[in-house]
Every structure is written in structure tokens, then in C-alpha cells.
Amino acid sequence: MPTPTELKLGWIGTGRMGFEMAARLAKGGCDIAVWNRTRAKAEPLAKYGAKIVDSLADLARRDIVFCMVSTWDDVKEVTGKLLGGQGKPRMVIECSSISLEGSAELRAMLKQKGVEYLAAPVSGNAKVIKAGKLTIVASGPNKAYEEARPFLDMLGTGSSYVGEGELSRIAKICHNVMLGVVIQNLCEITVLAEKAGMPRHAFLDFLNKSVMGSMFTRYKAPALVNLDFHVTFTPKLLRKDMDLGLDAGKRFDVPMPVAGITRDLIQQMIGHGMTEQDFSTLLLMQAKASGMELKPENKEVGDGLSS
């Protein structure tokens, strides 16, 4: 098996997360070539040593190609173009949030071309990646995972291998269902605390110091306190993942009543036109339903990520 320093990497997609992930590999000294539909968005990676290429065909002879794009349609399009020429990579690692069916179709497509495939969705956002706290769950051939593991681990705090096939997709779907349920509950209790007379920053300070605090509740605290809803993850993307979770529940005959209610509340938020800010704007909808109009508290609140 080649050592990590002998492998040439390719990277597809430099959106909010893809850019930061590719940057970590480039800063780590990897030989990495990057393609993005809008080249200008990838070009800043050159200062870290990445090669910026003009076509997906330029990545076809790389050993391992990572893919981090928005939707299954995007994944299918870029992978088709990657494999459409003479060369082919030895392995594709797909990190986007796509359905079980899409992932299985991609696996079959790559197998037909003799290309190894790891499904490797991630947990985090751009700020989490910068802080070195991204986590990755992977499934596919164990041998492929062991070869790719040094690069996966370089992207954050480490990777988890959960088995063959599309099991990592199930893990990520479960994860994002919990994301939706937790943010809704966090908004509910924060509004309850404020309506009872507590400042939001004081309540969240207590919560985050307690056993119920987590990396997630800490890094969402500044948004909830100061109503700073710059996008880390949109309501429509969260709705998509809640739908994937509910579909999986139907497939495996698992009732998911809490997830179902949360999905409807996210849909209600989207129906009110709250689509362009972060999904934590659920706080404002919860406040409105409680007869409250929130104001920023303008308090300096740690997010647990910044050094």
C-alpha cells in the first residue's frame, strides 16, 4: 500500500465547507489538485500549495479524489465527468450529504469503472473545520478506509469506520435528525427561560457549563444571544436531511414522532420566508409563537471553538 506522502489527491467542490477541508489537506503538505465550477472560488487555495485545475478530467489520474458538493444531482454530474475521459482515480471519497439510494447508485457506477468508493459524510461547518474539530463517518471496503484514513484524520478530530456499503449515510442522517431536534429544543427552552425573566446569555452560560452542554450548544450560543444568524447551514438543507431521516424511518419501520414534528416546524419557518439565514432562526419563530419579540443582547459569548 502506498504511503500518504506518495499519493496524489484531487478535490471537487470549494463551497463553504469544501474550501476549508481542501485547505487543511493543502496546509498539511498533501499533493492536492482542486477543481470548482467557479474557478475563482478555488484560487485562494493556491497560496497553501494546492494546484487549481480547469477541468474535472485533470483530476482523473489522481490516486484519491474527494467530492464535496451540494446535492446528489451535482455529485452525479461531476462524477460522470470525472470518469468520462481516459483516466480514472483509484478511489473516490464522497463527503456530501446524499441519500442512501444516491450513494448506492454512485457505488455501483464506480464499481463498474473499477474505482474504490468510500462514503464519508462529515459533521461540522466551516468554523468547526477551521478549529480542527470536524468529524467524519466512513463506510465501504475496510482496506480502502485504512488507505484513506490518514487524510480523513487530517481533516479534523478523526474518523469513524462503521462498516460496509452505505452505513455511513445512515449514521449521518441520524446525526442530522438529532441536529434538527436539538436546535428546536434549544430554542424552546431558551425562549422559556427568557419569558420567565432570565437573560438568554445567563441561561445559556448555565446550560453550557452543565452536563447538558455540548460542542453544539456552545457554538450556537452566540447566535441565540446576539441574534447573529449568518449562515452555517440553511433551513432548506436541514429540511432535506429531516426528510431523509423520516424516509429511513419508514424503510426500517422505526417510528420517529419527535423528528416528524420538528420537520414540520422547519417547514413552517421556510413557509414564513425564513430561508436565507442560519437554521437557528428557529429561535425567532419560537419567540413569535410565544408572544415575544427578541432583541440582541450584545454580549460577548464564547463559542467553544475560537482559541
Side-chain angles (χ1 to χ4, degrees), residues 32-73:
I32 185 169
V34 179
W35 177 89
N36 190 63
R37 185 175 282 116
T38 304
R39 180 187 168 102
K41 291 183 178 180
E43 285 176 346
L45 290 167
K47 66 184 177 185
Y48 304 128
K51 304 176 182 70
I52 313 304
V53 300
D54 292 316
S55 74
L56 287 162
D58 294 328
L59 300 181
R61 296 188 185 280
R62 295 258 133 184
D63 296 299
I64 299 175
V65 175
F66 287 81
C67 180
M68 186 62 170
V69 294
S70 296
T71 68
W72 163 235
D73 287 340

mmCIF file of all heavy atoms in Angstrom, residues 32-73:
data_model
loop_
_atom_site.group_PDB
_atom_site.id
_atom_site.type_symbol
_atom_site.label_atom_id
_atom_site.label_comp_id
_atom_site.label_asym_id
_atom_site.label_seq_id
_atom_site.Cartn_x
_atom_site.Cartn_y
_atom_site.Cartn_z
ATOM 1 N N ILE A 32 -2.219 18.077 -3.662
ATOM 2 C CA ILE A 32 -3.645 18.153 -3.940
ATOM 3 C C ILE A 32 -3.950 19.096 -5.095
ATOM 4 O O ILE A 32 -3.406 20.202 -5.164
ATOM 5 C CB ILE A 32 -4.430 18.561 -2.664
ATOM 6 C CG1 ILE A 32 -5.941 18.533 -2.915
ATOM 7 C CG2 ILE A 32 -3.972 19.899 -2.124
ATOM 8 C CD1 ILE A 32 -6.766 18.662 -1.631
ATOM 9 N N ALA A 33 -4.791 18.628 -6.010
ATOM 10 C CA ALA A 33 -5.273 19.431 -7.126
ATOM 11 C C ALA A 33 -6.767 19.655 -6.934
ATOM 12 O O ALA A 33 -7.497 18.732 -6.561
ATOM 13 C CB ALA A 33 -5.010 18.724 -8.453
ATOM 14 N N VAL A 34 -7.229 20.883 -7.182
ATOM 15 C CA VAL A 34 -8.598 21.275 -6.823
ATOM 16 C C VAL A 34 -9.342 21.794 -8.040
ATOM 17 O O VAL A 34 -8.809 22.586 -8.829
ATOM 18 C CB VAL A 34 -8.565 22.362 -5.729
ATOM 19 C CG1 VAL A 34 -9.975 22.799 -5.370
ATOM 20 C CG2 VAL A 34 -7.821 21.865 -4.490
ATOM 21 N N TRP A 35 -10.598 21.344 -8.174
ATOM 22 C CA TRP A 35 -11.498 21.866 -9.208
ATOM 23 C C TRP A 35 -12.768 22.382 -8.559
ATOM 24 O O TRP A 35 -13.313 21.759 -7.643
ATOM 25 C CB TRP A 35 -11.870 20.769 -10.209
ATOM 26 C CG TRP A 35 -12.853 21.245 -11.263
ATOM 27 C CD1 TRP A 35 -12.547 21.811 -12.460
ATOM 28 C CD2 TRP A 35 -14.290 21.186 -11.202
ATOM 29 N NE1 TRP A 35 -13.693 22.125 -13.145
ATOM 30 C CE2 TRP A 35 -14.781 21.757 -12.402
ATOM 31 C CE3 TRP A 35 -15.200 20.726 -10.250
ATOM 32 C CZ2 TRP A 35 -16.154 21.868 -12.671
ATOM 33 C CZ3 TRP A 35 -16.563 20.840 -10.499
ATOM 34 C CH2 TRP A 35 -17.017 21.402 -11.704
ATOM 35 N N ASN A 36 -13.248 23.518 -9.049
ATOM 36 C CA ASN A 36 -14.548 24.034 -8.650
ATOM 37 C C ASN A 36 -15.214 24.635 -9.877
ATOM 38 O O ASN A 36 -14.540 25.155 -10.779
ATOM 39 C CB ASN A 36 -14.400 25.112 -7.563
ATOM 40 C CG ASN A 36 -15.735 25.491 -6.958
ATOM 41 O OD1 ASN A 36 -16.411 24.666 -6.350
ATOM 42 N ND2 ASN A 36 -16.135 26.744 -7.122
ATOM 43 N N ARG A 37 -16.546 24.539 -9.928
ATOM 44 C CA ARG A 37 -17.278 25.042 -11.093
ATOM 45 C C ARG A 37 -16.935 26.505 -11.359
ATOM 46 O O ARG A 37 -16.743 26.917 -12.484
ATOM 47 C CB ARG A 37 -18.786 24.861 -10.875
ATOM 48 C CG ARG A 37 -19.615 25.244 -12.077
ATOM 49 C CD ARG A 37 -21.093 24.938 -11.850
ATOM 50 N NE ARG A 37 -21.369 23.515 -12.016
ATOM 51 C CZ ARG A 37 -21.786 22.703 -11.066
ATOM 52 N NH1 ARG A 37 -21.968 23.161 -9.839
ATOM 53 N NH2 ARG A 37 -22.032 21.431 -11.303
ATOM 54 N N THR A 38 -16.856 27.305 -10.291
ATOM 55 C CA THR A 38 -16.393 28.691 -10.399
ATOM 56 C C THR A 38 -14.946 28.724 -9.931
ATOM 57 O O THR A 38 -14.676 28.676 -8.725
ATOM 58 C CB THR A 38 -17.266 29.633 -9.543
ATOM 59 O OG1 THR A 38 -18.630 29.489 -9.927
ATOM 60 C CG2 THR A 38 -16.843 31.080 -9.721
ATOM 61 N N ARG A 39 -14.042 28.788 -10.870
ATOM 62 C CA ARG A 39 -12.610 28.660 -10.553
ATOM 63 C C ARG A 39 -12.150 29.681 -9.510
ATOM 64 O O ARG A 39 -11.331 29.363 -8.635
ATOM 65 C CB ARG A 39 -11.793 28.819 -11.836
ATOM 66 C CG ARG A 39 -10.278 28.704 -11.608
ATOM 67 C CD ARG A 39 -9.474 29.038 -12.847
ATOM 68 N NE ARG A 39 -8.069 29.180 -12.505
ATOM 69 C CZ ARG A 39 -7.130 28.265 -12.730
ATOM 70 N NH1 ARG A 39 -7.457 27.122 -13.310
ATOM 71 N NH2 ARG A 39 -5.880 28.487 -12.390
ATOM 72 N N ALA A 40 -12.692 30.901 -9.575
ATOM 73 C CA ALA A 40 -12.242 31.966 -8.680
ATOM 74 C C ALA A 40 -12.411 31.595 -7.209
ATOM 75 O O ALA A 40 -11.638 32.047 -6.353
ATOM 76 C CB ALA A 40 -12.999 33.257 -8.984
ATOM 77 N N LYS A 41 -13.405 30.760 -6.901
ATOM 78 C CA LYS A 41 -13.633 30.366 -5.515
ATOM 79 C C LYS A 41 -12.564 29.393 -5.013
ATOM 80 O O LYS A 41 -12.372 29.256 -3.807
ATOM 81 C CB LYS A 41 -15.023 29.749 -5.365
ATOM 82 C CG LYS A 41 -16.157 30.750 -5.546
ATOM 83 C CD LYS A 41 -17.502 30.104 -5.316
ATOM 84 C CE LYS A 41 -18.628 31.115 -5.456
ATOM 85 N NZ LYS A 41 -19.970 30.496 -5.233
ATOM 86 N N ALA A 42 -11.898 28.707 -5.938
ATOM 87 C CA ALA A 42 -10.847 27.761 -5.555
ATOM 88 C C ALA A 42 -9.468 28.402 -5.540
ATOM 89 O O ALA A 42 -8.565 27.915 -4.852
ATOM 90 C CB ALA A 42 -10.845 26.572 -6.510
ATOM 91 N N GLU A 43 -9.292 29.472 -6.291
ATOM 92 C CA GLU A 43 -7.953 30.040 -6.487
ATOM 93 C C GLU A 43 -7.230 30.435 -5.198
ATOM 94 O O GLU A 43 -6.008 30.279 -5.113
ATOM 95 C CB GLU A 43 -8.032 31.218 -7.455
ATOM 96 C CG GLU A 43 -8.214 30.753 -8.894
ATOM 97 C CD GLU A 43 -8.398 31.891 -9.883
ATOM 98 O OE1 GLU A 43 -8.653 33.033 -9.425
ATOM 99 O OE2 GLU A 43 -8.291 31.636 -11.095
ATOM 100 N N PRO A 44 -7.914 30.929 -4.145
ATOM 101 C CA PRO A 44 -7.179 31.263 -2.918
ATOM 102 C C PRO A 44 -6.454 30.077 -2.297
ATOM 103 O O PRO A 44 -5.528 30.265 -1.495
ATOM 104 C CB PRO A 44 -8.277 31.793 -1.985
ATOM 105 C CG PRO A 44 -9.332 32.322 -2.901
ATOM 106 C CD PRO A 44 -9.322 31.383 -4.069
ATOM 107 N N LEU A 45 -6.843 28.836 -2.658
ATOM 108 C CA LEU A 45 -6.162 27.657 -2.113
ATOM 109 C C LEU A 45 -4.735 27.515 -2.638
ATOM 110 O O LEU A 45 -3.925 26.805 -2.043
ATOM 111 C CB LEU A 45 -6.955 26.392 -2.440
ATOM 112 C CG LEU A 45 -8.293 26.233 -1.704
ATOM 113 C CD1 LEU A 45 -9.115 25.121 -2.333
ATOM 114 C CD2 LEU A 45 -8.063 25.957 -0.227
ATOM 115 N N ALA A 46 -4.444 28.197 -3.722
ATOM 116 C CA ALA A 46 -3.099 28.107 -4.303
ATOM 117 C C ALA A 46 -2.034 28.602 -3.326
ATOM 118 O O ALA A 46 -0.904 28.101 -3.326
ATOM 119 C CB ALA A 46 -3.035 28.897 -5.609
ATOM 120 N N LYS A 47 -2.397 29.559 -2.468
ATOM 121 C CA LYS A 47 -1.393 30.088 -1.530
ATOM 122 C C LYS A 47 -0.992 29.061 -0.481
ATOM 123 O O LYS A 47 0.031 29.205 0.199
ATOM 124 C CB LYS A 47 -1.912 31.355 -0.859
ATOM 125 C CG LYS A 47 -3.098 31.166 0.053
ATOM 126 C CD LYS A 47 -3.599 32.512 0.586
ATOM 127 C CE LYS A 47 -4.850 32.336 1.445
ATOM 128 N NZ LYS A 47 -5.398 33.642 1.865
ATOM 129 N N TYR A 48 -1.778 27.995 -0.355
ATOM 130 C CA TYR A 48 -1.435 26.915 0.578
ATOM 131 C C TYR A 48 -0.727 25.751 -0.128
ATOM 132 O O TYR A 48 -0.425 24.736 0.500
ATOM 133 C CB TYR A 48 -2.694 26.373 1.262
ATOM 134 C CG TYR A 48 -3.496 27.428 1.987
ATOM 135 C CD1 TYR A 48 -4.859 27.569 1.747
ATOM 136 C CD2 TYR A 48 -2.895 28.282 2.909
ATOM 137 C CE1 TYR A 48 -5.611 28.530 2.408
ATOM 138 C CE2 TYR A 48 -3.639 29.255 3.565
ATOM 139 C CZ TYR A 48 -4.991 29.374 3.308
ATOM 140 O OH TYR A 48 -5.733 30.325 3.960
ATOM 141 N N GLY A 49 -0.515 25.898 -1.434
ATOM 142 C CA GLY A 49 0.196 24.860 -2.173
ATOM 143 C C GLY A 49 -0.672 23.988 -3.049
ATOM 144 O O GLY A 49 -0.171 23.080 -3.726
ATOM 145 N N ALA A 50 -1.993 24.226 -3.070
ATOM 146 C CA ALA A 50 -2.875 23.437 -3.929
ATOM 147 C C ALA A 50 -2.716 23.855 -5.387
ATOM 148 O O ALA A 50 -2.445 25.021 -5.685
ATOM 149 C CB ALA A 50 -4.325 23.618 -3.499
ATOM 150 N N LYS A 51 -2.908 22.873 -6.296
ATOM 151 C CA LYS A 51 -2.925 23.173 -7.729
ATOM 152 C C LYS A 51 -4.382 23.372 -8.131
ATOM 153 O O LYS A 51 -5.238 22.548 -7.807
ATOM 154 C CB LYS A 51 -2.327 22.017 -8.523
ATOM 155 C CG LYS A 51 -0.921 21.604 -8.120
ATOM 156 C CD LYS A 51 -0.473 20.382 -8.913
ATOM 157 C CE LYS A 51 0.919 19.926 -8.486
ATOM 158 N NZ LYS A 51 0.914 19.337 -7.115
ATOM 159 N N ILE A 52 -4.693 24.443 -8.836
ATOM 160 C CA ILE A 52 -6.058 24.711 -9.277
ATOM 161 C C ILE A 52 -6.161 24.283 -10.742
ATOM 162 O O ILE A 52 -5.371 24.736 -11.585
ATOM 163 C CB ILE A 52 -6.420 26.203 -9.132
ATOM 164 C CG1 ILE A 52 -6.006 26.732 -7.751
ATOM 165 C CG2 ILE A 52 -7.913 26.399 -9.391
ATOM 166 C CD1 ILE A 52 -6.591 25.974 -6.588
ATOM 167 N N VAL A 53 -7.109 23.397 -11.040
ATOM 168 C CA VAL A 53 -7.221 22.860 -12.401
ATOM 169 C C VAL A 53 -8.497 23.371 -13.055
ATOM 170 O O VAL A 53 -9.448 23.800 -12.395
ATOM 171 C CB VAL A 53 -7.189 21.318 -12.398
ATOM 172 C CG1 VAL A 53 -5.887 20.812 -11.788
ATOM 173 C CG2 VAL A 53 -8.387 20.733 -11.650
ATOM 174 N N ASP A 54 -8.506 23.289 -14.383
ATOM 175 C CA ASP A 54 -9.605 23.869 -15.159
ATOM 176 C C ASP A 54 -10.708 22.884 -15.507
ATOM 177 O O ASP A 54 -11.805 23.290 -15.869
ATOM 178 C CB ASP A 54 -9.060 24.476 -16.459
ATOM 179 C CG ASP A 54 -8.194 25.701 -16.211
ATOM 180 O OD1 ASP A 54 -8.607 26.546 -15.390
ATOM 181 O OD2 ASP A 54 -7.117 25.806 -16.813
ATOM 182 N N SER A 55 -10.424 21.595 -15.415
ATOM 183 C CA SER A 55 -11.451 20.622 -15.788
ATOM 184 C C SER A 55 -11.383 19.403 -14.875
ATOM 185 O O SER A 55 -10.333 19.095 -14.294
ATOM 186 C CB SER A 55 -11.280 20.184 -17.245
ATOM 187 O OG SER A 55 -10.176 19.318 -17.378
ATOM 188 N N LEU A 56 -12.507 18.719 -14.779
ATOM 189 C CA LEU A 56 -12.548 17.501 -13.967
ATOM 190 C C LEU A 56 -11.651 16.424 -14.543
ATOM 191 O O LEU A 56 -11.124 15.584 -13.802
ATOM 192 C CB LEU A 56 -13.995 17.004 -13.869
ATOM 193 C CG LEU A 56 -14.878 17.855 -12.953
ATOM 194 C CD1 LEU A 56 -16.349 17.601 -13.234
ATOM 195 C CD2 LEU A 56 -14.560 17.574 -11.492
ATOM 196 N N ALA A 57 -11.453 16.439 -15.843
ATOM 197 C CA ALA A 57 -10.558 15.462 -16.469
ATOM 198 C C ALA A 57 -9.143 15.580 -15.916
ATOM 199 O O ALA A 57 -8.393 14.594 -15.881
ATOM 200 C CB ALA A 57 -10.556 15.657 -17.985
ATOM 201 N N ASP A 58 -8.769 16.782 -15.441
ATOM 202 C CA ASP A 58 -7.437 16.989 -14.876
ATOM 203 C C ASP A 58 -7.248 16.253 -13.553
ATOM 204 O O ASP A 58 -6.119 16.109 -13.075
ATOM 205 C CB ASP A 58 -7.182 18.485 -14.663
ATOM 206 C CG ASP A 58 -7.116 19.267 -15.962
ATOM 207 O OD1 ASP A 58 -6.668 18.688 -16.972
ATOM 208 O OD2 ASP A 58 -7.521 20.441 -15.973
ATOM 209 N N LEU A 59 -8.352 15.810 -12.943
ATOM 210 C CA LEU A 59 -8.262 15.067 -11.684
ATOM 211 C C LEU A 59 -8.322 13.558 -11.892
ATOM 212 O O LEU A 59 -8.125 12.793 -10.943
ATOM 213 C CB LEU A 59 -9.410 15.470 -10.748
ATOM 214 C CG LEU A 59 -9.500 16.943 -10.336
ATOM 215 C CD1 LEU A 59 -10.678 17.134 -9.389
ATOM 216 C CD2 LEU A 59 -8.210 17.426 -9.701
ATOM 217 N N ALA A 60 -8.597 13.133 -13.118
ATOM 218 C CA ALA A 60 -8.902 11.718 -13.363
ATOM 219 C C ALA A 60 -7.740 10.789 -13.033
ATOM 220 O O ALA A 60 -7.967 9.628 -12.671
ATOM 221 C CB ALA A 60 -9.342 11.521 -14.810
ATOM 222 N N ARG A 61 -6.515 11.251 -13.140
ATOM 223 C CA ARG A 61 -5.367 10.381 -12.871
ATOM 224 C C ARG A 61 -4.804 10.558 -11.458
ATOM 225 O O ARG A 61 -3.739 10.033 -11.145
ATOM 226 C CB ARG A 61 -4.275 10.617 -13.921
ATOM 227 C CG ARG A 61 -4.740 10.235 -15.323
ATOM 228 C CD ARG A 61 -3.617 10.276 -16.340
ATOM 229 N NE ARG A 61 -4.094 10.035 -17.684
ATOM 230 C CZ ARG A 61 -4.356 8.827 -18.198
ATOM 231 N NH1 ARG A 61 -4.169 7.754 -17.459
ATOM 232 N NH2 ARG A 61 -4.795 8.702 -19.441
ATOM 233 N N ARG A 62 -5.505 11.275 -10.614
ATOM 234 C CA ARG A 62 -5.127 11.384 -9.202
ATOM 235 C C ARG A 62 -5.432 10.066 -8.496
ATOM 236 O O ARG A 62 -6.342 9.330 -8.903
ATOM 237 C CB ARG A 62 -5.888 12.519 -8.556
ATOM 238 C CG ARG A 62 -5.521 13.881 -9.136
ATOM 239 C CD ARG A 62 -4.581 14.626 -8.206
ATOM 240 N NE ARG A 62 -3.448 15.185 -8.912
ATOM 241 C CZ ARG A 62 -2.447 15.808 -8.301
ATOM 242 N NH1 ARG A 62 -2.443 15.929 -6.987
ATOM 243 N NH2 ARG A 62 -1.426 16.269 -8.991
ATOM 244 N N ASP A 63 -4.729 9.762 -7.431
ATOM 245 C CA ASP A 63 -4.954 8.491 -6.725
ATOM 246 C C ASP A 63 -6.302 8.469 -6.014
ATOM 247 O O ASP A 63 -7.082 7.526 -6.146
ATOM 248 C CB ASP A 63 -3.828 8.250 -5.704
ATOM 249 C CG ASP A 63 -2.482 8.073 -6.376
ATOM 250 O OD1 ASP A 63 -2.344 7.121 -7.157
ATOM 251 O OD2 ASP A 63 -1.584 8.893 -6.124
ATOM 252 N N ILE A 64 -6.561 9.511 -5.230
ATOM 253 C CA ILE A 64 -7.801 9.611 -4.455
ATOM 254 C C ILE A 64 -8.442 10.954 -4.761
ATOM 255 O O ILE A 64 -7.778 11.997 -4.686
ATOM 256 C CB ILE A 64 -7.531 9.506 -2.936
ATOM 257 C CG1 ILE A 64 -6.885 8.160 -2.592
ATOM 258 C CG2 ILE A 64 -8.826 9.694 -2.144
ATOM 259 C CD1 ILE A 64 -6.471 8.038 -1.121
ATOM 260 N N VAL A 65 -9.727 10.947 -5.103
ATOM 261 C CA VAL A 65 -10.453 12.182 -5.376
ATOM 262 C C VAL A 65 -11.577 12.327 -4.357
ATOM 263 O O VAL A 65 -12.417 11.430 -4.205
ATOM 264 C CB VAL A 65 -11.026 12.207 -6.809
ATOM 265 C CG1 VAL A 65 -11.883 13.456 -7.019
ATOM 266 C CG2 VAL A 65 -9.894 12.165 -7.836
ATOM 267 N N PHE A 66 -11.586 13.458 -3.667
ATOM 268 C CA PHE A 66 -12.658 13.801 -2.732
ATOM 269 C C PHE A 66 -13.725 14.608 -3.459
ATOM 270 O O PHE A 66 -13.407 15.423 -4.335
ATOM 271 C CB PHE A 66 -12.117 14.660 -1.586
ATOM 272 C CG PHE A 66 -11.268 13.935 -0.588
ATOM 273 C CD1 PHE A 66 -9.926 13.671 -0.856
ATOM 274 C CD2 PHE A 66 -11.789 13.537 0.626
ATOM 275 C CE1 PHE A 66 -9.129 13.016 0.073
ATOM 276 C CE2 PHE A 66 -11.009 12.880 1.569
ATOM 277 C CZ PHE A 66 -9.666 12.613 1.295
ATOM 278 N N CYS A 67 -14.964 14.412 -3.060
ATOM 279 C CA CYS A 67 -16.068 15.174 -3.631
ATOM 280 C C CYS A 67 -16.868 15.800 -2.499
ATOM 281 O O CYS A 67 -17.308 15.101 -1.585
ATOM 282 C CB CYS A 67 -16.959 14.259 -4.477
ATOM 283 S SG CYS A 67 -18.367 15.092 -5.237
ATOM 284 N N MET A 68 -17.071 17.137 -2.555
ATOM 285 C CA MET A 68 -17.852 17.841 -1.538
ATOM 286 C C MET A 68 -18.691 18.903 -2.236
ATOM 287 O O MET A 68 -18.271 20.058 -2.399
ATOM 288 C CB MET A 68 -16.908 18.475 -0.500
ATOM 289 C CG MET A 68 -17.624 19.110 0.676
ATOM 290 S SD MET A 68 -18.557 17.891 1.608
ATOM 291 C CE MET A 68 -19.028 18.828 3.040
ATOM 292 N N VAL A 69 -19.874 18.502 -2.708
ATOM 293 C CA VAL A 69 -20.783 19.408 -3.406
ATOM 294 C C VAL A 69 -22.152 19.370 -2.721
ATOM 295 O O VAL A 69 -22.323 18.715 -1.703
ATOM 296 C CB VAL A 69 -20.875 19.056 -4.908
ATOM 297 C CG1 VAL A 69 -19.526 19.297 -5.592
ATOM 298 C CG2 VAL A 69 -21.306 17.615 -5.113
ATOM 299 N N SER A 70 -23.142 20.064 -3.286
ATOM 300 C CA SER A 70 -24.385 20.294 -2.544
ATOM 301 C C SER A 70 -25.399 19.169 -2.614
ATOM 302 O O SER A 70 -25.985 18.783 -1.605
ATOM 303 C CB SER A 70 -25.037 21.596 -3.033
ATOM 304 O OG SER A 70 -24.216 22.697 -2.748
ATOM 305 N N THR A 71 -25.663 18.639 -3.806
ATOM 306 C CA THR A 71 -26.788 17.728 -3.978
ATOM 307 C C THR A 71 -26.366 16.471 -4.727
ATOM 308 O O THR A 71 -25.290 16.414 -5.330
ATOM 309 C CB THR A 71 -27.910 18.405 -4.786
ATOM 310 O OG1 THR A 71 -27.464 18.615 -6.141
ATOM 311 C CG2 THR A 71 -28.305 19.746 -4.173
ATOM 312 N N TRP A 72 -27.246 15.458 -4.722
ATOM 313 C CA TRP A 72 -26.994 14.233 -5.467
ATOM 314 C C TRP A 72 -26.863 14.514 -6.954
ATOM 315 O O TRP A 72 -26.015 13.933 -7.636
ATOM 316 C CB TRP A 72 -28.090 13.209 -5.184
ATOM 317 C CG TRP A 72 -28.147 12.084 -6.184
ATOM 318 C CD1 TRP A 72 -29.217 11.684 -6.914
ATOM 319 C CD2 TRP A 72 -27.063 11.212 -6.566
ATOM 320 N NE1 TRP A 72 -28.882 10.621 -7.721
ATOM 321 C CE2 TRP A 72 -27.567 10.311 -7.529
ATOM 322 C CE3 TRP A 72 -25.726 11.112 -6.185
ATOM 323 C CZ2 TRP A 72 -26.792 9.328 -8.122
ATOM 324 C CZ3 TRP A 72 -24.938 10.119 -6.781
ATOM 325 C CH2 TRP A 72 -25.471 9.242 -7.734
ATOM 326 N N ASP A 73 -27.670 15.421 -7.476
ATOM 327 C CA ASP A 73 -27.547 15.770 -8.907
ATOM 328 C C ASP A 73 -26.157 16.314 -9.206
ATOM 329 O O ASP A 73 -25.563 15.994 -10.245
ATOM 330 C CB ASP A 73 -28.609 16.798 -9.295
ATOM 331 C CG ASP A 73 -30.013 16.195 -9.375
ATOM 332 O OD1 ASP A 73 -30.121 14.953 -9.501
ATOM 333 O OD2 ASP A 73 -30.991 16.959 -9.312
#
